């Protein structure tokens, strides 16, 4: 009789799902980003600073999350001219954000040659019910998640990379920690379940059954998992890596700090040597001050970006 | 008793975990290399896929280049995959990063275009009997080789995607994520030779 264990060699992406751009090729770029830092930039000059500091990719956007938080208004995908300028300025991959559910913005980003689309809660959602069907693109997608069910729904829709939502633009790492721990603990729970319990767990998580089965077999997400949302210091990056993520996004934390080039370099080093406290102590000296930030627990619930999407 | 080969994977950035997993299928001791002092015990080293600008910056930052070259002079084998190939090339057609000049080839980065142009295909590989699946992700290619470099694999249009010089191997694709460990076996044999 066939058991779930026989399926172990199979990786996610059943034959019956639609596909544009091979799964391995799309997920493969995320694998190349592992152990690295992806930095938010708003100009080609910032992109160059990020690349020189050792960023593995840049996220091109019009305003960093802390400015979106401060200034309000509708946050949309960035001006194509700005994105093109950043694409031309650097040789590393360029990511850009589309609003949740705004598949036309994603189409525009793909047309511009963007290497990775972040369907992001940092922008104002365009659809209160549906996320983008991400299978239909050659451009790969990264999506935010607060728990395993949410991560698996996004992967089910075609995301080939997951990041914690955290609470973007605050410089407070607490929600990134909460979400990463939640995802990892949800995975551990599935590994303890019997095969007969998996369908009920899939129902409770609101996640595709096949993916829940795969997690039981492999003990990890089928795609790369980064931390995002509130990382502002080298020690924050090391904390997230030790908890068990595979790389970090740093948004406002770099270009809102006192010395962006130095902060960027220090966070890159702390991400590589996340277990080497001596090195992290050394690179954390004289960074010119981290971003001031906002304590997440003092935010009005309506200001919590992590609540966007489902 | 024969001593097992000591194979390291440079773990500064990139998909080093995938290489380590592939190597674990073989009878070798595998080492995750984060500091240059760890190179001492190695018979072979892999520089993985990742972002070449980031990996090369970290190689420079932690002063790996001379230590790697010194080990090669004493017979260590070396394999660069994708970003790793860029790091070990003699020359790039782009100005960044500055490669280490370990294998006599010229390499061009992101040859096929951006991520939307990434692809996978089956290729022939000299020394491996069956065709292998090759995954190209924002991949570089070899644009020039010197006489002492052996070409191991080309795409159907003649594009050079795998090269070897003595015990130095370079591939522009990623055997570590293809699901087949044939090229890893090839590298381990090269290391033990």
């Amino acid at each position: 009789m066939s058991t779930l264990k026989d399926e172990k060699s199979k990786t996610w992406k059943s034959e019956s799902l639609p596909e544009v751009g091979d799964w391995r090729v799309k997920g493969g770029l995320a694998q190349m980003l592992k152990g690295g830092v992806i930095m938010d930039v708003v100009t080609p000059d910032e992109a160059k600073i990020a690349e020189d500091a050792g960023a593995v990719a840049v996220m091109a956007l019009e305003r960093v999350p802390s400015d979106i938080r401060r200034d309000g208004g509708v946050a949309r995908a960035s001006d194509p001219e700005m994105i093109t300028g950043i694409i031309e300025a650097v040789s590393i991959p360029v990511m850009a954000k589309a609003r949740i559910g705004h598949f036309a913005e994603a189409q525009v980003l793909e047309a511009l040659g963007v290497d990775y689309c972040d369907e992001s809660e940092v922008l104002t959602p365009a659809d209160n019910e549906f996320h983008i069907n991400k299978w239909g693109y050659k451009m790969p997608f990264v999506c935010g998640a607060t728990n395993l069910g949410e991560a698996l729904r996004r992967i089910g829709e075609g995301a080939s990379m997951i990041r914690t939502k955290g609470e973007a633009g605050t410089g407070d790492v607490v929600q990134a920690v909460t979400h990463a721990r939640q995802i990892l603990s949800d995975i551990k729970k599935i590994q303890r379940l019997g095969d007969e319990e998996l369908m009920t767990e899939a129902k409770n998580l609101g996640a595709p059954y096949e993916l829940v089965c795969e997690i039981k077999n492999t003990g990890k997400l089928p795609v790369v998992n980064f931390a995002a949302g509130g990382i502002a210091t080298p020690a924050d990056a090391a904390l997230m890596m030790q908890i068990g993520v595979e790389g970090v996004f740093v948004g406002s934390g770099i270009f809102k700090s006192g010395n962006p080039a130095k902060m960027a370099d220090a966070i890159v080093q702390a991400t590589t040597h996340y277990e080497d406290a001596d090195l992290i102590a050394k690179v954390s000296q004289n960074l010119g001050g981290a971003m001031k930030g906002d304590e997440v627990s003092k935010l009005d619930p309506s200001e919590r970006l992590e609540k966007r999407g489902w | 008793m024969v001593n097992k080969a000591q194979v390291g994977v440079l773990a500064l950035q990139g998909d080093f975990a995938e290489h380590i997993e592939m190597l674990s299928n073989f009878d070798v001791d595998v080492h995750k290399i984060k500091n240059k002092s760890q190179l001492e015990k190695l018979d072979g080293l892999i520089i993985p896929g990742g972002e070449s600008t980031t990996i090369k910056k970290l190689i420079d930052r932690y002063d790996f280049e001379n230590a790697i070259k010194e080990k090669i002079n004493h017979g260590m084998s070396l394999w660069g995959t994708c970003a790793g190939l860029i790091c070990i090339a003699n020359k790039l057609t782009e100005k960044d990063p500055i490669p280490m000049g370990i294998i006599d080839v010229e390499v061009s980065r992101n040859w096929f275009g951006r991520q939307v142009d990434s692809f996978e295909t089956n290729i022939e590989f000299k020394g491996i009997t069956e065709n292998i699946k090759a995954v190209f992700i924002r991949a570089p290619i070899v644009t020039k080789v010197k006489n002492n470099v052996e070409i191991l694999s080309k795409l159907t249009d003649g594009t050079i995607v795998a090269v070897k010089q003595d015990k130095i191997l370079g591939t522009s694709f990623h055997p570590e994520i293809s699901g087949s460990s044939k090229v890893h076996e090839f590298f381990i044999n090269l290391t033990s030779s």
Side-chain angles (χ1 to χ4, degrees), chain A residues 60-174:
Chain A
L61 71 179
E62 224 150 52
R63 293 181 282 168
V64 292
S66 64
D67 287 342
I68 294 174
R69 196 174 275 290
R70 189 193 62 204
D71 299 341
V74 178
R76 309 180 177 92
S78 300
D79 179 350
E81 190 186 343
M82 187 274 281
I83 294 173
T84 308
I86 287 172
I87 286 175
E88 283 166 4
V90 293
S91 64
I92 56 179
V94 175
M95 300 184 165
K97 290 184 194 291
R99 283 179 265 179
I100 289 173
H102 206 316
F103 52 84
E105 277 187 353
Q107 289 160 1
V108 169
L109 297 180
E110 183 173 56
L112 292 172
V114 164
D115 295 299
Y116 236 98
C117 177
D118 182 4
E119 186 183 17
S120 177
E121 70 283 359
V122 168
L123 305 185
T124 310
D127 196 316
N128 288 326
E129 199 168 358
F130 304 117
H131 285 251
I132 297 170
N133 170 24
K134 292 165 273 286
W135 291 116
Y137 296 76
K138 282 195 81 172
M139 170 181 66
F141 281 76
V142 54
C143 289
T146 58
N147 56 49
L148 184 62
E150 191 172 13
L152 296 185
R153 288 191 289 278
R154 297 295 84 78
I155 296 166
E157 291 160 357
S160 50
M161 180 176 184
I162 291 294
R163 56 172 174 76
T164 61
K165 283 184 174 172
E167 191 55 43
T170 60
D172 186 347
V173 78
V174 65

Side-chain angles (χ1 to χ4, degrees), chain A residues 22-302:
Chain A
D22 184 78
W23 177 250
R24 186 157 31 213
V25 168
K26 292 206 282 192
L29 178 56
Q31 286 173 289
M32 297 313 136
L33 302 175
K34 280 164 59 170
V37 183
I38 299 166
M39 303 181 191
D40 277 3
V41 298
V42 299
T43 64
D45 287 344
E46 286 187 359
K48 198 67 198 138
I49 290 170
E51 181 177 43
D52 290 344
V56 289
V58 290
M59 176 75 71
L61 71 179
E62 224 150 52
R63 293 181 282 168
V64 292
S66 64
D67 287 342
I68 294 174
R69 196 174 275 290
R70 189 193 62 204
D71 299 341
V74 178
R76 309 180 177 92
S78 300
D79 179 350
E81 190 186 343
M82 187 274 281
I83 294 173
T84 308
I86 287 172
I87 286 175
E88 283 166 4
V90 293
S91 64
I92 56 179
V94 175
M95 300 184 165
K97 290 184 194 291
R99 283 179 265 179
I100 289 173
H102 206 316
F103 52 84
E105 277 187 353
Q107 289 160 1
V108 169
L109 297 180
E110 183 173 56
L112 292 172
V114 164
D115 295 299
Y116 236 98
C117 177
D118 182 4
E119 186 183 17
S120 177
E121 70 283 359
V122 168
L123 305 185
T124 310
D127 196 316
N128 288 326
E129 199 168 358
F130 304 117
H131 285 251
I132 297 170
N133 170 24
K134 292 165 273 286
W135 291 116
Y137 296 76
K138 282 195 81 172
M139 170 181 66
F141 281 76
V142 54
C143 289
T146 58
N147 56 49
L148 184 62
E150 191 172 13
L152 296 185
R153 288 191 289 278
R154 297 295 84 78
I155 296 166
E157 291 160 357
S160 50
M161 180 176 184
I162 291 294
R163 56 172 174 76
T164 61
K165 283 184 174 172
E167 191 55 43
T170 60
D172 186 347
V173 78
V174 65
Q175 289 308 87
V177 169
T178 305
H179 299 159
R181 286 201 184 281
Q182 185 67 50
I183 291 171
L184 294 169
S185 122
D186 290 345
I187 290 173
K188 280 188 203 137
K189 182 186 169 201
I190 287 179
Q191 287 189 283
R192 290 195 302 268
L193 296 178
D195 288 352
E196 70 282 3
E197 297 176 90
L198 296 178
M199 182 59 88
T200 301
E201 183 64 9
K203 176 188 155 207
N204 293 340
L205 289 171
Y209 173 69
E210 292 75 9
L211 287 177
V212 173
C213 295
E214 179 169 337
I215 297 237
K216 173 155 190 216
N217 286 333
T218 63
K220 59 188 181 67
L221 284 181
V223 302
V224 170
N225 182 25
F226 271 45
I231 293 149
T233 66
D236 284 350
L239 171 71
M240 297 310 302
M241 293 296 287
Q242 286 189 44
I243 286 173
V245 300
E246 296 172 295
V248 297
F249 284 83
V250 185
S252 324
I254 288 172
F255 288 97
K256 290 291 173 190
S257 73
N259 186 342
K262 210 170 167 193
M263 178 66 86
D265 176 83
I267 293 180
V268 167
Q269 292 201 60
T271 305
T272 296
H273 290 287
Y274 60 89
E275 291 174 318
D276 186 342
D278 291 335
L279 182 139
I280 296 167
K282 204 168 117 204
V283 301
S284 299
Q285 288 169 21
N286 299 316
L287 290 179
M291 67 181 284
K292 180 164 177 289
D294 295 294
E295 214 176 307
V296 172
S297 60
K298 305 250 168 78
L299 292 178
D300 187 271
S302 68

Side-chain angles (χ1 to χ4, degrees), chain A residues 22 24-25 28-29 31-34 52-56 87 91-93 113 115 138 140 265 269 272-273, chain B residues 12-15 18 34 50-51 53-54 57-58 61-62 109 114-116 118 120 133 137-138 174 177:
Chain A
D22 184 78
R24 186 157 31 213
V25 168
L29 178 56
Q31 286 173 289
M32 297 313 136
L33 302 175
K34 280 164 59 170
D52 290 344
V56 289
I87 286 175
S91 64
I92 56 179
D115 295 299
K138 282 195 81 172
D265 176 83
Q269 292 201 60
T272 296
H273 290 287
Chain B
L12 298 176
Q13 191 273 319
D15 68 341
E18 284 77 358
K34 288 212 171 242
E51 274 309 309
T53 51
T54 306
K57 183 193 138 68
L58 294 169
R61 163 76 70 187
Y62 306 119
R109 290 178 66 197
R114 304 197 66 82
Q115 172 60 17
V116 293
S118 295
E120 68 177 38
K133 184 168 281 178
I137 296 165
R138 289 168 45 92
H174 295 281
I177 63 170

Side-chain angles (χ1 to χ4, degrees), chain B residues 65-82:
Chain B
E65 184 166 337
N66 287 334
I68 291 173
K69 286 178 174 170
E70 179 70 22
K71 282 291 293 178
I72 288 169
N73 288 338
H74 289 87
M76 183 181 77
S77 65
L78 177 68
W79 176 17
T81 59
C82 195

Side-chain angles (χ1 to χ4, degrees), chain B residues 75-100:
Chain B
M76 183 181 77
S77 65
L78 177 68
W79 176 17
T81 59
C82 195
L85 168 63
I86 292 170
C87 291
I88 67 174
N90 202 24
K91 188 167 179 282
L92 298 186
T93 56
E94 296 76 19
K95 71 174 173 59
D96 291 316
I98 311 288
M100 292 191 277

Side-chain angles (χ1 to χ4, degrees), chain B residues 3-192:
Chain B
N3 288 335
K4 282 189 189 178
Q6 306 295 312
V7 182
V9 184
L10 191 66
L12 298 176
Q13 191 273 319
D15 68 341
F16 50 84
E18 284 77 358
H19 273 293
I20 289 168
E21 197 175 327
M22 278 287 182
L23 290 171
S24 70
N25 295 321
F26 297 93
D27 189 27
V28 296
D29 286 333
V30 187
H31 303 276
K32 187 159 116 179
I33 305 298
K34 288 212 171 242
N35 299 297
K36 67 176 177 178
S37 61
Q38 297 170 289
L39 292 173
E40 191 49 44
K41 55 183 173 262
L42 297 185
D43 302 310
L45 175 70
I46 298 175
I47 303 181
E51 274 309 309
S52 57
T53 51
T54 306
I55 293 177
K56 185 59 189 3
K57 183 193 138 68
L58 294 169
I59 284 174
D60 293 344
R61 163 76 70 187
Y62 306 119
D63 205 16
F64 271 96
E65 184 166 337
N66 287 334
I68 291 173
K69 286 178 174 170
E70 179 70 22
K71 282 291 293 178
I72 288 169
N73 288 338
H74 289 87
M76 183 181 77
S77 65
L78 177 68
W79 176 17
T81 59
C82 195
L85 168 63
I86 292 170
C87 291
I88 67 174
N90 202 24
K91 188 167 179 282
L92 298 186
T93 56
E94 296 76 19
K95 71 174 173 59
D96 291 316
I98 311 288
M100 292 191 277
I102 292 173
I103 183 165
D104 281 332
V105 298
E106 180 191 80
V107 167
S108 190
R109 290 178 66 197
N110 298 338
W111 174 260
F112 301 98
R114 304 197 66 82
Q115 172 60 17
V116 293
D117 306 303
S118 295
F119 63 100
E120 68 177 38
T121 185
N122 289 313
I123 57 170
E124 288 179 13
F125 193 103
K126 201 171 167 184
I128 297 175
T129 46
E130 63 205 69
N131 280 5
I132 56 168
K133 184 168 281 178
V135 187
F136 293 85
I137 296 165
R138 289 168 45 92
I141 63 157
V142 175
T143 43
K144 281 181 197 159
V145 299
K146 286 201 178 151
N147 287 338
N148 51 343
V149 174
E150 187 181 3
I151 295 167
L152 297 179
S153 184
K154 289 179 181 180
L155 299 180
T156 47
D157 65 0
T159 303
I160 302 168
V161 294
V163 285
K164 179 171 96 70
Q165 175 186 333
D166 302 324
K167 292 176 86 168
I168 314 297
L169 179 65
T171 58
S172 56
F173 52 94
H174 295 281
E176 71 277 16
I177 63 170
S178 68
S180 158
S181 55
K182 288 286 171 194
V183 187
H184 287 81
E185 189 179 353
F186 182 92
F187 178 67
I188 287 168
N189 290 337
L190 188 68
T191 302
S192 309

